[in-house]
Amino acid sequence: MARMAKVVELPSIAKINKSQGKISAQLTQALREAVQSGDLQPGDPLPSSRELAQTLGVARGTIIEAYDQLLAEGVFDSQARTGTYVSHALAKKTTQHSQKETIPSVIPLTKSALSYAQVLKEFKPLPHTPFAVSVPIGRTQPSDIWRKFGNKFRSRGAGVPSGYGEPQGVLSLRVAIADYVRRSRSVHCEPDQIVITPGIQQSLYICSQILFEPKDEVWIEDPAYRGTTAIFEHAVQNIRMVRVPVDEEGIQVETGIKLSKHARAAFVTPSHQYPLGMPMSLARRTALLAWAKQQNAWIIEDDYDSELRYNGQPFPSLQGMAPDQVIYLGTFSKVLFPSLRLGYAVLPKELVAPFCGLRVLIDRHPPAADQHVLAAFIQEGYLERHIRRTRNVYAEVREYIIGLIEKYIPQELAWLQPGDQGMHMVLWLAHHINDIEVASSALDAGIAIKAISPTFSKEQQRPGLIVGLGDFEPELMRQAIKKLSEIIQQHGKPT
Ligand SMILES: Cc1ncc(COP(=O)(O)O)c(C=O)c1O
């Protein structure tokens, strides 16, 4: 095969015009300007004179003449091994120049741009220190098998680089999930009702976009996951959020009916109310489904961490009781690790196409390689083994933290509502303590903890902290609780 001439891509030389005077002078000027504007930065290599001559269709001597001029001016430098490059001595000057270039845009931002910028601030991930939720560390990291499967499927198996894939996700993973959720959660579905997502967050967003007509109302638990309420505050227009209070049995269906009988949908966390931690009672489940059936409303069942249960038997899913009305959302963020970004939605058949249609516009389809890795991990029984192992670790850590809180934190300022499942517990604070300020001081001290009050509507707000379970070093956790206790006491002092 004939050797192809290398074409140099240097946008700044595009303006050179052979019919307008000496080319070496034009080239010198164009390269000088590229350095001044920051298109070329100190240390950037220049193409060889041979390559550039070929690209421009001029004699090599023309390029050498321009380079020599810029070397003489100190704009370029050259070395035997590295060739010609933009001089490092210009670093200071170009930095000053590029600062001038980054003067903020004068185009005013839209309301929605400003409000999404606020969302980003609120969803900034916490550092991986006690008591951040979902940090796979120590014994809760997936085993070596995960890494081995990764290598295997990426190099030879189904996960090798390929063309565009199915928006719904790869079939082997959907088959594995259908089997897994039937056994573990009594979810009844065919693989073609499953859509693989990058986690529950995207599923919640897609539901918010496809299930509603303008002016519809939606029930949202009070308190609820901010990832749900923030969608209805920022990303959806013309749909009214009706906050329905939660008590020890879960969402108060009767109150929901009084507030908004004709709501189009209800977003709930029946296995493990977020953030309070209790399961929805059977009576409430029945009442919720009866209301939904009567009103033709959708139920969105966010089942984010029900696999991690420390006592008793789990309730079967709501989906299993009404597969035509319930959209079941699952994730591997809690049972494996959040950076995997894989979850799934189990949908009534008629919702599969609209759901996938929107997902195509967002991200086309989930990354293929990890889907194959995960399918094998589930099919060969490793996921359930991993869950059994991590459940024991979290149970141990949970007991340890409960002991530390009892020992170090004064009961009159803070008390625990531990729940019996999941990856977090609620530490309520006395009413006069501001939980957002406590969380912020804790963060300054290296403790990753979230305030609970933003999960409530304004009317129901009460202060507390969301204490995540993680397999951190015991001494690290002890120090963190001691420090947290000091912070709570400082904030709890009468003013
Ligand atoms: C209640 C609840 N729903 C959904 C999610 C989102 O999970 P994912 O990582 O799958 O997007 C979380 C994450 O913490 C959660 O707590």
Side-chain angles (χ1 to χ4, degrees):
M1 205 201 285
R3 210 162 148 236
M4 272 171 58
K6 189 171 169 200
V7 175
V8 174
E9 291 186 2
L10 209 57
S12 31
I13 60 174
K15 52 188 161 196
I16 291 172
N17 185 337
K18 284 188 191 160
S19 62
Q20 277 185 2
K22 210 174 162 210
I23 294 179
S24 67
Q26 285 186 56
L27 180 61
T28 310
Q29 183 58 18
L31 290 171
R32 197 187 285 119
E33 280 172 13
V35 172
Q36 279 163 357
S37 69
D39 287 355
L40 284 174
Q41 301 237 335
D44 279 353
L46 275 305
S48 73
S49 53
R50 188 186 308 277
E51 286 166 353
L52 193 48
Q54 260 168 3
T55 303
L56 291 176
V58 298
R60 201 170 150 213
T62 307
I63 311 296
I64 293 173
E65 197 180 326
Y67 278 16
D68 281 348
Q69 175 61 32
L70 292 165
L71 283 164
E73 289 176 17
V75 178
F76 287 176
D77 233 328
S78 80
Q79 261 174 21
R81 287 222 332 254
T82 45
T84 308
Y85 56 90
V86 180
S87 169
H88 287 288
L90 297 175
K92 221 172 135 208
K93 280 193 211 156
T94 44
T95 315
Q96 283 162 357
H97 188 83
S98 48
Q99 271 167 1
K100 213 167 82 197
E101 291 293 298
T102 56
I103 290 169
S105 154
V106 286
I107 302 176
L109 292 182
T110 59
K111 267 198 199 134
S112 69
L114 293 169
S115 93
Y116 283 128
Q118 279 308 111
V119 172
L120 183 65
K121 277 192 198 151
E122 188 179 340
F123 283 77
K124 198 165 175 261
L126 289 173
H128 298 174
T129 56
F131 298 97
V133 183
S134 296
V135 182
I137 200 163
R139 293 169 295 171
T140 56
Q141 270 176 349
S143 63
D144 269 2
I145 297 288
W146 180 263
R147 185 176 44 75
K148 281 189 192 139
F149 278 10
N151 293 343
K152 184 172 146 194
F153 286 103
R154 285 201 173 83
S155 59
R156 282 174 278 119
V160 295
S162 67
Y164 286 110
E166 266 302 312
Q168 202 171 342
V170 305
L171 182 60
S172 59
L173 181 56
R174 288 187 280 122
V175 170
I177 289 173
D179 194 40
Y180 164 67
V181 291
R182 177 182 47 73
R183 279 182 287 110
S184 63
R185 304 292 305 121
S186 302
V187 169
H188 296 291
C189 67
E190 300 296 327
D192 67 3
Q193 287 172 262
I194 296 183
V195 181
I196 309 299
T197 65
I200 290 183
Q201 193 61 49
Q202 189 188 75
S203 303
L204 293 168
Y205 177 77
I206 295 181
C207 287
S208 78
Q209 304 294 312
I210 66 171
L211 300 182
F212 300 94
E213 299 288 359
K215 303 209 173 97
D216 273 348
E217 297 187 337
V218 55
W219 289 9
I220 309 269
E221 292 172 319
D222 193 1
Y225 176 52
R226 273 297 290 152
T228 307
T229 52
I231 288 175
F232 285 95
E233 281 167 15
H234 298 272
V236 174
Q237 269 142 34
N238 236 340
I239 292 165
R240 193 167 80 87
M241 231 197 312
V242 177
R243 301 300 300 268
V244 182
V246 160
D247 60 23
E248 60 291 343
E249 286 193 63
I251 191 165
Q252 294 176 3
V253 179
E254 282 305 314
T255 312
I257 294 173
K258 274 189 209 131
L259 293 171
S260 166
K261 184 173 178 191
H262 303 294
R264 174 82 62 166
F267 284 69
V268 286
T269 45
S271 306
H272 186 219
Q273 205 284 330
Y274 188 88
L276 303 182
M278 66 287 171
M280 193 186 293
S281 70
L282 190 58
R284 290 284 167 82
R285 286 167 190 250
T286 314
L288 182 65
L289 291 176
W291 163 77
K293 199 164 178 55
Q294 200 186 34
Q295 294 300 320
N296 270 336
W298 300 107
I299 306 285
I300 297 90
E301 177 174 17
D302 176 351
D303 204 13
Y304 61 107
D305 72 354
S306 62
E307 291 91 343
L308 297 163
R309 193 174 173 84
Y310 310 116
N311 282 314
Q313 284 299 312
F315 276 102
S317 67
L318 278 180
Q319 194 275 356
M321 297 167 79
D324 295 337
Q325 264 181 304
V326 177
I327 296 162
Y328 176 90
L329 308 180
T331 181
F332 294 98
S333 291
K334 309 289 167 169
V335 289
L336 276 170
F337 52 98
S339 65
L340 178 61
R341 302 315 304 145
L342 282 177
Y344 48 97
V346 179
L347 300 161
K349 284 199 169 132
E350 67 275 23
L351 283 180
V352 174
F355 195 98
C356 287
L358 178 51
R359 94 82 45 82
V360 165
L361 297 184
I362 300 172
D363 63 351
R364 276 193 192 269
H365 66 76
D370 276 338
Q371 293 186 71
H372 289 288
V373 176
L374 182 55
F377 197 74
I378 300 173
Q379 268 157 356
E380 297 191 25
Y382 290 104
L383 178 68
E384 278 158 271
R385 239 175 278 174
H386 176 74
I387 293 174
R388 279 198 293 279
R389 187 159 48 98
T390 50
R391 192 188 285 141
N392 289 340
V393 173
Y394 287 126
E396 203 181 282
V397 170
R398 179 173 167 276
E399 287 304 314
Y400 182 63
I401 297 180
I402 292 174
L404 291 174
I405 289 178
E406 279 168 3
K407 181 165 175 195
Y408 290 110
I409 303 188
Q411 269 272 321
E412 64 284 9
L413 292 181
W415 56 97
L416 257 185
Q417 179 176 328
D420 56 9
Q421 58 177 308
M423 299 181 79
H424 73 268
M425 304 183 278
V426 177
L427 182 66
W428 292 113
L429 296 176
H431 278 282
H432 66 286
I433 303 179
N434 181 323
D435 58 351
I436 296 179
E437 285 172 11
V438 170
S440 158
S441 305
L443 194 58
D444 292 343
I447 303 165
I449 209 154
K450 273 194 183 158
I452 205 169
S453 58
T455 67
F456 285 92
S457 66
K458 279 214 171 61
E459 300 73 45
Q460 301 286 332
Q461 251 171 25
R462 52 183 293 204
L465 300 169
I466 297 175
V467 183
L469 309 177
D471 192 23
F472 296 100
E473 287 290 315
E475 181 53 21
L476 198 62
M477 289 195 271
R478 195 180 70 83
Q479 293 295 345
I481 290 288
K482 270 183 77 179
K483 186 75 206 162
L484 183 64
S485 174
E486 281 166 32
I487 293 169
I488 292 173
Q489 288 178 63
Q490 269 160 21
H491 285 268
K493 274 190 200 141
T495 41

